Amino acid sequence: MSEQIDSRIGGEVHEALDGATVSVFCGSLAMMLAAGIQLEEAVHLMGEGRENARIDLVSRALWRRIAAGQSLGDAMAATGVFPRFALDMVRAGERAGRVENVLRHLATYYDAESRIMAKIRVAVGYPAALLGVMSVIIAFTVWALLPIFADVYEQLAGGMTTGSFAALDISVGIGAVALAVALALAVATAAAFFASQTPGGVAALQRLLEHLPMSRAALYRLALARFTAALAILVVAGSTTEDALADAARTVGHRTLRERLDRAHAAMSDLSRGLSLAQAIDECEIFDPLYARLLTVGSRSGALDTTLEDLASVFFDDAVDEVDHMIDQIEPALAALITIAVGATLVAVMLPLIGIMSSIG
């Protein structure tokens, strides 16, 4: 039976678990551990569900490995379906004997991340669908309506004059340009939407969005939220603040934020300066001044992990707001693009008539 489960994990559910599923898994396991249930029994209970549920199949494979003596982190790694970040955090929690706390933080982290990823998919999926419809309309106008108007104009004018024929060529050219632009944007947004369905595609899409003016702030907030959540988990797992900063920085792919984090780590490593985590973050302008002060207060009061967790939640909320703002900017931009495209095709339809009227006059 175990081999059959491993085979199904290697086949049907071999692709990485999405953030929502990882959140459910970590949250459920943390809740069972908090209730005093031993790890092996807790994982076994999670596998006693629906026969085809991915989380049940994964839990059964985990149970077999844990029963054989593997740690939770090693068992999760052996399945090949958990994100690298989750594996690193669970192993850090095992070393510090704080697996339950780490799992609870991971559940919060992946829940927030999955919500933001869903919004980003909407942000690229909505334009893809709208641009696709617009391309069909423009193509119909260029290839179906314009020939009809050309026949009508020819009948009205008793034969297309040279000027009218030139005007018709211009109309077809305008329509073709509008169609090409719409198709190019539709293909690009559709590719971005399909890329957002895979972890590798999401990473590539985020690198692209980092450089676009309307999405730059949203991607920075998202990267900051991830870093802060990772930092909170590492502190909870018992890492020193310097090591926690270095390890959390490795999870960041955002170029600007990564550069600031590298400077902060260098400042903390400089023994001649002896900066604390809060001081280094404030000096390198990683957090806004208000949040940097909150971190300082939390560090001095001995509640650094709680403060970091609260700040991560705030940054995730800020990232959601920024993504919503990005979506709000996309909608009027698309409306303007559609207006221009439709206006261009209408002008294209009218140009031959203008040519005919000028020839008659």
Side-chain angles (χ1 to χ4, degrees):
M1 181 65 178
S2 299
E3 289 77 8
Q4 183 181 2
I5 292 170
D6 287 343
S7 175
R8 295 181 69 179
I9 290 177
E12 293 178 31
V13 290
H14 180 64
E15 58 190 46
L17 297 176
D18 58 86
T21 304
V22 175
S23 175
V24 171
F25 173 84
C26 293
S28 301
L29 189 55
M31 185 167 52
M32 291 186 183
L33 294 178
I37 302 175
Q38 295 299 312
L39 175 63
E40 182 179 339
E41 183 181 358
V43 174
H44 178 69
L45 290 173
M46 291 179 62
E48 294 182 340
R50 293 163 295 179
E51 189 67 24
N52 294 323
R54 295 179 71 196
I55 195 169
D56 297 330
L57 294 174
V58 172
S59 297
R60 292 176 190 180
L62 287 174
W63 173 77
R64 184 180 72 84
R65 292 184 168 91
I66 292 173
Q70 287 188 355
S71 66
L72 176 61
D74 291 341
M76 290 170 63
T79 64
V81 296
F82 286 93
R84 177 62 183 272
F85 174 70
L87 300 176
D88 292 342
M89 297 303 103
V90 169
R91 284 167 170 163
E94 288 175 330
R95 290 193 296 269
R98 306 185 69 178
V99 175
E100 176 195 329
N101 291 337
V102 169
L103 288 171
R104 179 170 54 83
H105 281 72
L106 283 172
T108 303
Y109 171 84
Y110 280 106
D111 176 65
E113 185 180 69
S114 65
R115 288 189 289 113
I116 293 178
M117 287 300 102
K119 284 184 172 291
I120 290 179
R121 292 187 185 99
V122 171
V124 296
Y126 172 71
L130 192 56
L131 287 166
V133 173
M134 186 175 73
S135 298
V136 172
I137 294 174
I138 297 175
F140 177 77
T141 302
V142 174
W143 291 330
L145 291 184
L146 282 181
I148 293 174
F149 275 95
D151 293 339
V152 173
Y153 294 156
E154 187 174 0
Q155 293 175 10
L156 288 175
M160 295 284 285
T161 63
T162 302
S164 301
F165 189 78
L168 181 60
D169 287 340
I170 295 174
S171 68
V172 173
I174 292 175
V177 170
L179 177 60
V181 172
L183 278 175
L185 292 175
V187 170
T189 52
F193 175 74
F194 287 114
S196 67
Q197 308 302 312
T198 63
V202 169
L205 180 60
Q206 289 176 356
R207 287 193 295 270
L208 173 63
L209 293 176
E210 287 175 12
H211 303 288
L212 299 180
M214 69 171 54
S215 57
R216 189 177 298 139
L219 268 294
Y220 182 82
R221 281 294 179 184
L222 176 58
L224 186 61
R226 285 176 169 171
F227 159 74
T228 309
L231 188 61
I233 295 172
L234 287 164
V235 170
V236 166
S239 298
T240 64
T241 54
E242 184 176 340
D243 291 340
L245 176 62
D247 292 339
R250 295 191 188 99
T251 68
V252 176
H254 194 284
R255 185 178 62 182
T256 301
L257 179 58
R258 183 61 184 269
E259 291 174 353
R260 294 179 181 179
L261 292 174
D262 289 342
R263 292 201 306 270
H265 183 256
M268 290 184 68
S269 303
D270 188 351
L271 298 179
S272 63
R273 304 186 65 190
L275 295 183
S276 66
L277 174 66
Q279 290 172 331
I281 286 178
D282 186 23
E283 180 180 285
C284 297
E285 299 180 344
I286 296 170
F287 292 174
D288 294 336
L290 174 61
Y291 298 138
R293 284 194 290 271
L294 288 175
L295 184 62
T296 300
V297 172
S299 179
R300 291 175 178 175
S301 63
L304 179 61
D305 54 346
T306 303
T307 303
L308 286 171
E309 185 179 1
D310 292 341
L311 287 176
S313 178
V314 170
F315 294 150
F316 271 119
D317 290 339
D318 288 346
V320 170
D321 292 340
E322 291 290 349
V323 172
D324 287 337
H325 179 64
M326 180 178 68
I327 295 174
D328 291 340
Q329 288 181 311
I330 290 174
E331 290 180 352
L334 283 177
L337 179 62
I338 292 173
T339 301
I340 293 172
V342 172
T345 53
L346 288 176
V347 170
V349 170
M350 297 302 297
L351 279 176
L353 180 58
I354 296 173
I356 293 172
M357 296 301 293
S358 62
S359 298
I360 295 175

